């Protein structure tokens, strides 16, 4: 028994991959002209480049002039990018490239060849090349699924419950009653006979629990570890009796004394297992939010929330840890005049971006009245990451669908733990 080892993931990197895949999933080509290339780790890049150059030659046979031009240009762009690498990245590489219409739309022939490069979150062992009317993102999406599953069994002589910790949530799978008589003596039975009947019922109950545990945590959800909890000595009797299948018996990472069993016991066991699962992402996120709310509720001056306030503290090097929900969906727009360099910025919800960009480009610069205004857009996390990097602040992106994400949502989906109380004066 002990602490389970789980590979730590960069929350900002995972957020960016998810956002990229969401974006790519919505794109479609006018023909079979969108390129997807999965390059597994250890694969020689010169082999991939040679294959793609052969595909360029084959693409010359495409009848449609526009489609042929798009495919050849896309393959050429991928080859150019690959030549910039000395070798295949450690975990492999995924590239998407294609001719796509401008964001605001446009006529046939207005497409722009764009390329995306994705560093996979896990080792990539599969080679894939596709030229299709959509990008093939399923392999990467599967990689983003959290396979660090932890099983919970909460048991006493009255009932038992099963739970699963995965990704950003703790899920109660089911619970059952034991059917075992209480320890009080029932009328008309001798003490020994009653005790014998109770032991038989308990054995039957333990075997039933062991069978269900095997079905859940081996057949359906192969777990990395099992935590057993419950009040009293029943859990120890169950474990010491070797009722569990040997793979689960060897996979028990902790037993936890709890006040409850069943579904309520699952939640209590999770709350008490922070030390054991300290490097499990959901536990890390829960602790971040607890620390933030402790600073806010304790009036220490070291807890901040709200987008404008947090950004101001971030720019002034006051932020120690910046926390943002992954469903914030904000975009920063910056309009810069090419003549006088006057700059304006706004942070908006995604649906408002195109109208705002049109407004900036259709109106003259407020400073010099020139019409030469360039507009760039930036995901809020990318923007915050740049600010955090300048000041050495830590940026954490947490799940907006979990309980702690809902807590942060009540503060505007963004908060910060500060290095010191900026309102403190000596």
């Amino acid at each position: 028994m002990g602490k389970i080892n789980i590979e730590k993931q960069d929350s900002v990197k995972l957020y960016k991959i998810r956002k990229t895949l969401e974006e790519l999933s919505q794109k479609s080509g006018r023909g079979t002209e969108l390129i997807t290339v999965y390059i597994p780790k250890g694969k020689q890049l010169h082999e991939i480049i040679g294959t793609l150059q052969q595909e360029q030659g084959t693409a010359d046979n495409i009848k449609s002039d526009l489609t042929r031009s798009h495919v050849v240009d896309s393959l050429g762009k991928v080859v150019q990018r690959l030549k910039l690498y000395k070798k295949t990245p450690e975990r492999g590489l995924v590239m998407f490239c294609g001719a796509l219409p401008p964001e605001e739309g446009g006529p046939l022939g207005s497409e722009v060849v764009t390329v995306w490069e994705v560093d996979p979150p896990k080792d990539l062992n599969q080679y894939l090349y596709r030229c299709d009317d959509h990008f093939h993102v399923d392999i990467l999406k599967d990689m983003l699924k959290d396979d660090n599953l932890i099983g919970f069994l909460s048991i006493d002589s009255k009932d038992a419950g099963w739970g699963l910790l995965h990704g950003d949530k703790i899920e109660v799978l089911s619970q059952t009653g034991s059917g075992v008589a209480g320890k009080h003596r029932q009328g008309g039975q001798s003490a020994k006979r009653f005790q014998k009947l109770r032991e038989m019922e308990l054995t039957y109950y333990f075997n039933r629990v062991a069978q269900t545990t095997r079905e859940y945590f081996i057949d359906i959800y192969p777990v990395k570890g099992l935590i057993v909890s419950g009040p009293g000595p029943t859990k120890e009797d169950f474990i010491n009796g070797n009722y569990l299948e040997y793979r689960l018996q060897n996979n028990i990472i902790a037993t936890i004394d709890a006040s409850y069993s069943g579904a309520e016991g699952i939640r209590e066991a999770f709350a008490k297992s922070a030390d054991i699962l300290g490097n499990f992402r959901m536990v890390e996120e829960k602790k971040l939010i607890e620390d933030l709310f402790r600073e806010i509720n304790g009036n220490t001056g070291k807890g901040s929330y709200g987008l404008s306030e947090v950004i101001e503290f971030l720019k002034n090097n006051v932020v120690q840890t910046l926390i943002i929900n992954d469903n914030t969906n904000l975009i920063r727009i910056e309009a810069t005049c090419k003549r006088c360099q006057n700059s304006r910025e706004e942070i908006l919800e995604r649906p408002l971006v195109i109208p705002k960009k049109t407004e900036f480009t259709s109106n003259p610069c407020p400073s010099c009245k020139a019409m030469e205004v360039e507009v760039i857009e930036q995901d809020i996390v990318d923007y915050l990451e740049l600010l955090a990097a300048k000041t050495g602040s830590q940026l954490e992106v947490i799940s907006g669908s979990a309980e702690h994400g809902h807590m942060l949502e009540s503060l505007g989906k963004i908060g910060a733990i500060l290095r010191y109380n900026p309102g403190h004066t000596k």
Side-chain angles (χ1 to χ4, degrees):
M1 297 185 188
K3 204 168 186 177
I4 189 165
N5 291 319
I6 293 173
E7 183 181 358
K8 291 185 71 79
Q9 294 280 6
D10 184 332
S11 65
V12 177
K13 177 183 175 181
L14 293 181
Y15 169 84
K16 289 182 176 182
I17 294 176
R18 281 196 187 92
K19 279 289 184 182
T20 299
L21 296 185
E22 285 174 16
E23 180 185 350
L24 293 175
S25 297
Q26 295 167 7
K27 297 187 181 300
S28 58
R30 290 196 166 117
T32 54
E33 52 189 38
L34 301 187
I35 308 297
T36 301
V37 185
Y38 283 78
I39 304 170
K41 67 172 187 173
K43 185 80 170 175
Q44 296 297 318
L45 284 181
H46 66 83
E47 294 178 15
I48 304 294
I49 290 171
T51 300
L52 297 180
Q53 287 173 335
Q54 287 179 6
E55 291 293 337
Q56 274 184 296
T58 305
D60 287 334
N61 298 322
I62 297 173
K63 292 181 180 179
S64 166
D65 291 342
L66 190 59
T67 300
R68 179 174 63 251
S69 172
H70 287 165
V71 172
V72 170
D73 289 350
S74 296
L75 286 167
K77 197 150 194 172
V78 172
V79 168
Q80 286 176 0
R81 289 293 185 94
L82 289 178
K83 286 181 177 178
L84 297 176
Y85 288 87
K86 291 183 178 179
K87 64 177 183 177
T88 304
E90 186 178 349
R91 289 184 164 177
L93 181 65
V94 184
M95 301 193 77
F96 304 96
C97 188
L100 295 161
E103 190 175 348
E104 60 276 6
L108 196 66
S110 64
E111 296 86 1
V112 178
V113 176
T114 310
V115 63
W116 291 263
E117 299 172 41
V118 179
D119 179 19
K122 300 173 185 174
D123 289 347
L124 178 60
N125 299 308
Q126 181 175 352
Y127 170 73
L128 178 74
Y129 165 76
R130 288 286 186 275
C131 183
D132 214 327
D133 63 353
H134 64 281
F135 291 120
H136 291 257
V137 298
D138 290 344
I139 297 173
L140 271 176
K141 282 187 174 179
D142 287 341
M143 284 187 170
L144 289 174
K145 293 177 181 176
D146 197 325
D147 55 7
N148 294 319
L149 306 179
I150 304 297
F152 282 81
L153 168 62
S154 181
I155 183 172
D156 72 356
S157 59
K158 293 180 181 178
D159 56 9
W162 293 266
L164 187 70
L165 177 61
H166 59 103
D168 57 9
K169 63 181 177 179
I170 178 81
E171 178 183 355
V172 176
L173 300 174
S174 73
Q175 59 181 338
T176 184
S178 69
V180 178
K183 286 191 175 182
H184 63 278
R185 183 179 173 185
Q186 297 184 359
Q189 297 187 53
S190 68
K192 287 185 178 180
R193 182 168 174 270
F194 174 72
Q195 181 62 28
K196 186 69 175 175
L197 286 172
R198 188 175 185 279
E199 287 174 0
M200 289 172 62
E201 290 172 351
L202 204 56
T203 299
Y204 173 72
Y205 167 56
F206 281 167
N207 281 319
R208 186 157 52 90
V209 168
Q211 176 62 26
T212 304
T213 306
R214 184 193 183 284
E215 290 171 359
Y216 273 133
F217 299 142
I218 290 182
D219 299 342
I220 304 175
Y221 308 106
V223 297
K224 283 198 170 183
L226 177 64
I227 292 175
V228 182
S229 69
T234 305
K235 58 185 178 297
E236 281 84 8
D237 294 341
F238 176 72
I239 293 170
N240 295 335
N242 290 314
Y243 291 94
L244 282 172
E245 206 257 24
Y246 76 95
R247 284 173 291 179
L248 288 171
Q249 189 80 19
N250 295 335
N251 230 8
I252 296 173
I253 55 176
T255 57
I256 293 175
D257 289 321
S259 304
Y260 303 96
S261 58
E264 198 58 43
I266 297 297
R267 299 183 183 93
E268 184 185 1
F270 170 67
K272 289 185 172 182
S273 60
D275 290 341
I276 304 153
L277 302 172
N279 54 353
F280 200 93
R281 181 59 191 172
M282 183 180 174
V283 179
E284 289 180 344
E285 292 183 1
K286 182 171 177 282
K287 185 177 185 303
L288 284 168
I289 296 302
E290 287 174 350
D291 290 346
L292 173 62
F293 272 80
R294 188 181 303 113
E295 300 293 354
I296 293 170
N297 296 332
N299 294 317
T300 62
K302 292 171 63 179
S304 171
Y305 57 92
L307 185 64
S308 56
E309 180 177 298
V310 167
I311 288 177
E312 190 63 31
F313 282 138
L314 193 58
K315 289 178 176 178
N316 291 324
N317 196 13
V318 183
V319 173
Q320 176 178 308
T321 306
L322 175 62
I323 312 164
I324 186 168
N325 275 3
D326 62 3
N327 59 357
T328 306
N329 203 28
L330 292 174
I331 304 294
R332 175 179 174 267
I333 303 292
E334 184 178 18
T336 306
C337 176
K338 292 181 180 179
R339 181 177 294 180
C340 71
Q341 301 304 308
N342 176 63
S343 180
R344 294 163 287 163
E345 71 169 29
E346 286 198 37
I347 296 175
L348 307 160
E349 293 279 350
R350 166 64 74 178
L352 303 175
V353 169
I354 293 179
K356 179 56 69 173
K357 288 171 73 173
T358 304
E359 179 189 323
F360 277 143
T361 54
S362 303
N363 293 301
C365 168
S367 179
C368 70
K369 305 305 178 185
M371 293 297 293
E372 303 173 43
V373 178
E374 181 181 44
V375 181
I376 61 168
E377 65 176 82
Q378 192 176 29
D379 186 274
I380 189 64
V381 172
D382 291 330
Y383 175 56
L384 295 175
E385 183 185 27
L386 287 174
L387 293 179
K390 291 177 182 177
T391 58
S393 302
Q394 178 185 355
L395 173 59
E396 294 286 350
V397 182
I398 71 167
S399 169
S401 62
E403 181 183 352
H404 43 267
H406 294 317
M407 292 173 67
L408 186 59
E409 188 168 354
S410 69
L411 302 179
K413 297 186 178 182
I414 184 169
I417 299 170
L418 308 181
R419 303 182 199 275
Y420 55 86
N421 179 357
H424 179 73
T425 54
K426 292 184 179 180

